[in-house]
Amino acid sequence: MEIQLWRSILCPYELAVRELVVKFNHIIDECRDNDIYSPIEQVEGRVKSVSSILEKMQRKHIPMEQMEEEIEDIAGVRIICQFEEDIDTVVSLIQKRTDMVVKSEKNYLKHIKQSGYRSYHLIIYYTVDTMQGPKKLQAEIQIRTMAMNFWATIEHSLQYKYKGDMPEHVAERLSKAADAINALDREMSSVRNEIMDAQNSSQMQSNLVKDILLNIENLYKLANKREILKIQDEFLRVFYTKDLKQLERFHRQLDIISEGYRAQAVTHQI
Ligand code: 0O2
């Protein structure tokens, strides 16, 4: 196949990966804006390299004309979660979406691969709009925890190094490392609620501070400087107490004060 043809075949897959990464990152943003814990920690995407596609076609005896149907992971997105429990949440989020249709699922958490590999895979149909019109294509979504990702990244590099012929002693050490990763995920899950609480509080605090500062900034146009300085001092005092409840109370009070000033400004205009 000519290089030019590869480019035009892979171009819609580039678009699909970019769109999917934006969409999954948007879930993180939505959660942050609403002070909700995000089941997604990080999103990565890639289009499979031509050499990797060719290698897979040779290994699986796939003819060129069936490449797009048979190679399901030309577009690949990886979703990294903090905890194993988050993986199920992300899977149901994807299943419920109207812009992605699940073709198949592989649960390597329940059926751990012999190498020790753990991850949840979904093959989806996704439609992109190109200059030639809509194109429905397939994409693979891998969902795993940070710990699983750490192991898989290293194991993948070693597989590449040994070209599928990994020495027994290396495979054995990787298998032991996979057990340790599994234990780590379980251990982290046992303190999940505490970690989530801490992260939610920190996100809540940062959203409150953002709101309060915006409110104070707006007051500069309406209130006198002395009053604003007093509010600022009070904000700093409350902030340094590190007490979220006090910060919430201050936020509510500031809202009432701002509302009063806004009403006064409207009355003056009339
Ligand atoms: P890359 O470089 O990640 O794009 P297969 O027959 O195993 O090649 P299949 O049946 O199409 O692939 O699907 P499967 O088993 O779900 O694996 C697809 C992808 O999952 C692989 O892509 C890897 O990314 C990942 N994966 C599967 N098994 C392992 C494993 O044992 N270790 C690691 N590190 N990753 C794994 P590719 O094709 O390898 O390419």
Side-chain angles (χ1 to χ4, degrees):
M1 196 183 299
E2 291 163 39
I3 289 290
Q4 199 54 31
L5 271 179
W6 275 109
R7 264 221 210 124
S8 60
I9 288 176
L10 296 185
C11 191
Y13 290 88
E14 296 274 2
L15 176 60
V17 168
R18 264 190 251 151
E19 285 186 12
L20 289 167
V21 168
V22 165
K23 288 179 177 187
F24 288 120
N25 269 322
H26 190 72
I27 295 179
I28 303 180
D29 294 341
E30 256 186 277
C31 291
R32 297 227 161 113
D33 286 348
N34 291 296
D35 295 333
I36 303 167
Y37 169 80
S38 171
I40 300 177
E41 177 63 20
Q42 198 190 323
V43 187
E44 301 165 359
R46 65 97 184 98
V47 171
K48 210 172 179 67
S49 67
V50 174
S51 72
S52 195
I53 294 175
L54 288 172
E55 183 274 320
K56 200 162 186 170
M57 282 167 72
Q58 186 194 33
R59 182 159 50 87
K60 297 194 163 189
H61 309 290
I62 298 167
M64 207 49 113
E65 58 281 8
Q66 277 169 26
M67 180 186 85
E68 286 189 85
E69 183 52 40
E70 298 286 328
I71 312 264
E72 299 172 313
D73 65 340
I74 297 179
V77 173
R78 191 167 289 153
I79 297 178
I80 314 292
C81 308
Q82 296 195 71
F83 304 101
E84 211 167 316
E85 289 81 351
D86 301 333
I87 296 176
D88 283 343
T89 313
V90 177
V91 172
S92 3
L93 279 177
I94 295 171
Q95 286 165 338
K96 277 189 228 135
R97 290 188 72 108
T98 54
D99 54 350
M100 302 170 198
V101 175
V102 177
K103 176 190 175 191
S104 61
E105 304 184 27
K106 281 184 191 165
N107 188 342
Y108 294 129
L109 302 165
K110 266 201 187 135
H111 310 285
I112 303 174
K113 278 201 159 183
Q114 207 185 343
S115 58
Y117 180 75
R118 286 159 71 235
S119 219
Y120 199 103
H121 291 191
L122 292 166
I123 303 295
I124 57 155
Y125 287 115
Y126 183 75
T127 304
V128 285
D129 280 301
T130 70
M131 273 172 67
Q132 284 75 42
K135 180 175 168 71
K136 183 173 153 190
L137 44 77
Q138 307 186 77
E140 182 187 69
I141 304 178
Q142 299 181 344
I143 313 164
R144 49 171 88 143
T145 63
M146 293 195 265
M148 292 173 198
N149 193 45
F150 173 50
W151 182 92
T153 306
I154 286 170
E155 198 262 1
H156 195 272
S157 312
L158 286 172
Q159 285 215 28
Y160 184 79
K161 178 180 169 179
Y162 293 113
K163 300 188 172 52
D165 197 15
M166 201 180 288
E168 187 81 8
H169 72 280
V170 179
E172 222 168 84
R173 292 181 86 162
L174 278 169
S175 170
K176 281 203 181 113
D179 291 342
I181 290 287
N182 202 346
L184 176 66
D185 267 332
R186 279 203 307 267
E187 194 61 34
M188 293 313 265
S189 285
S190 71
V191 284
R192 181 172 181 257
N193 285 344
E194 243 171 274
I195 297 172
M196 275 170 63
D197 276 354
Q199 289 173 349
N200 280 347
S201 299
S202 144
Q203 189 56 47
M204 221 185 237
Q205 172 175 305
S206 117
N207 284 351
L208 276 173
V209 168
K210 204 167 80 191
D211 261 18
I212 290 170
L213 290 183
L214 194 70
N215 232 332
I216 294 179
E217 205 180 304
N218 287 334
L219 274 179
Y220 267 94
K221 294 172 210 142
L222 306 168
N224 70 51
K225 206 164 171 202
R226 245 194 34 221
E227 183 75 14
I228 294 167
L229 286 176
K230 247 171 70 188
I231 292 172
Q232 260 176 209
D233 285 348
E234 180 58 7
F235 161 64
L236 287 177
R237 189 195 67 74
V238 172
F239 180 75
Y240 290 133
T241 61
K242 294 189 167 71
D243 182 344
L244 202 58
K245 288 265 171 301
Q246 279 201 49
L247 201 62
E248 281 178 313
R249 209 172 311 125
F250 177 78
H251 178 250
R252 280 196 301 275
Q253 284 166 349
L254 190 58
D255 260 353
I256 297 168
I257 295 172
S258 302
E259 201 43 57
Y261 273 107
R262 272 195 291 273
Q264 257 181 36
V266 173
T267 319
H268 281 306
Q269 274 171 10
I270 296 168

